[in-house]
Amino acid sequence: MIDVRRFDWRASAGKVRDSAAGGTVGGAPVTYGLIALCCAIFLISPLSGFGGASYGSQDALLAAQAGYFERWGVIPAELWEGSARALLTPFAALFVHGSWLHLLGNLLFLYVFGAMAEERMGRVQFALFYVGCGYLALVCYAALHAESEQTLVGASGAISAVLGAFLHLFPRARVTSLFPFLFFLPLRFPAWIVLVFWFGLQWAAAQAADAGPGVAYLAHVAGFAAGFLYAWGRYGRRTRVKVPATATEGDSQP
């Protein structure tokens, strides 16, 4: 279960107060809209498993899935050709996921950390931040694997940016996490411990990864860095949470 307590920001007074149990007025419609959109796109895609019989055979289904990735995913080798279509693929790829596990893992983290970040930034700014940092993360990965013809999809880069911004804005928020080396016991830590640990894992994995199929850890690293630097540059130190605060509960890995 996930328990969320959000905050109302009073910029003029520079104070933070705990909001009511239902969250602040207005909630986080962009975060929930992104979750709904990603789910809807996945459900109607050939990757969800629904409607598989309509393809007639397993080979036809696999061909449809491959074509789906090629149409909507980022292909680094094609991105740098400069065509308008290729330059738009990072926007589309932010809403495409390769499996149920990929989808649910990403959306869990967006749900846990996105609402508070949105409420702090505002709806329009959060939406632009999410899309812009997600695009940048995918382009950074493509730039370092410019010859790769492997498709790249998923919201991981954008969600990593949300984590980076959250680290700056709410470093003392308490997050209940499950760490494998602690026997998966649910323990509460300040957000800065959980997120710095997560970033370290992504950085280490990126050093060992190659350009073949798998997880694009480098996109996670680029997104996280972009999100943190944006929050640091845009908000500075004056808007960070000054008192311990309860955030949410979730896993330690997106």
Side-chain angles (χ1 to χ4, degrees), residues 25-231:
V25 176
V30 174
T31 296
Y32 303 139
L34 288 169
I35 291 172
L37 181 60
C38 287
C39 288
I41 289 174
F42 183 78
L43 289 174
I44 63 175
S45 76
L47 305 167
S48 67
F50 297 112
S54 63
Y55 292 96
S57 68
Q58 184 67 18
D59 289 341
L61 176 60
L62 293 176
Q65 293 174 346
Y68 184 79
F69 283 132
E70 291 178 3
R71 180 176 183 181
W72 301 112
V74 177
I75 302 177
E78 296 181 1
L79 183 63
W80 306 113
E81 294 177 355
S83 70
R85 180 192 173 281
L87 293 174
L88 290 175
T89 54
F91 290 119
L94 289 176
F95 303 96
V96 176
H97 292 83
S99 67
W100 281 100
L101 183 61
H102 188 200
L103 174 74
L104 297 178
N106 274 347
L107 297 189
L108 171 64
F109 268 69
L110 180 56
Y111 175 78
V112 169
F113 294 99
M116 286 177 63
E118 178 184 346
E119 289 178 10
R120 175 62 195 95
M121 293 181 181
R123 298 173 185 176
V124 174
Q125 186 175 159
F126 178 78
L128 295 175
F129 162 81
Y130 181 91
V131 174
C133 288
Y135 187 100
L136 179 62
L138 293 174
V139 169
C140 285
Y141 179 91
L144 293 177
H145 299 93
E147 303 301 322
S148 175
E149 296 185 356
Q150 296 291 336
T151 54
L152 181 64
V153 298
S156 299
I159 295 171
S160 296
V162 174
L163 301 187
F166 193 99
L167 174 61
H168 178 78
L169 296 173
F170 305 99
R172 298 185 184 180
R174 306 292 292 186
V175 180
T176 299
S177 301
L178 305 177
F179 289 93
F181 58 84
L182 294 178
F183 304 103
F184 294 99
L185 295 175
L187 300 175
R188 298 185 68 76
F189 297 96
W192 73 267
I193 293 178
V194 175
L195 294 176
V196 168
F197 176 78
W198 176 87
F199 178 78
L201 289 180
Q202 306 308 301
W203 176 264
Q207 306 309 303
D210 56 28
V215 180
Y217 292 106
L218 185 59
H220 299 180
V221 171
F224 188 95
F228 182 86
L229 291 174
Y230 173 84

Side-chain angles (χ1 to χ4, degrees), residues 8-17:
D8 233 351
W9 287 85
R10 294 180 176 179
S12 58
K15 297 180 180 179
V16 181
R17 69 174 176 82

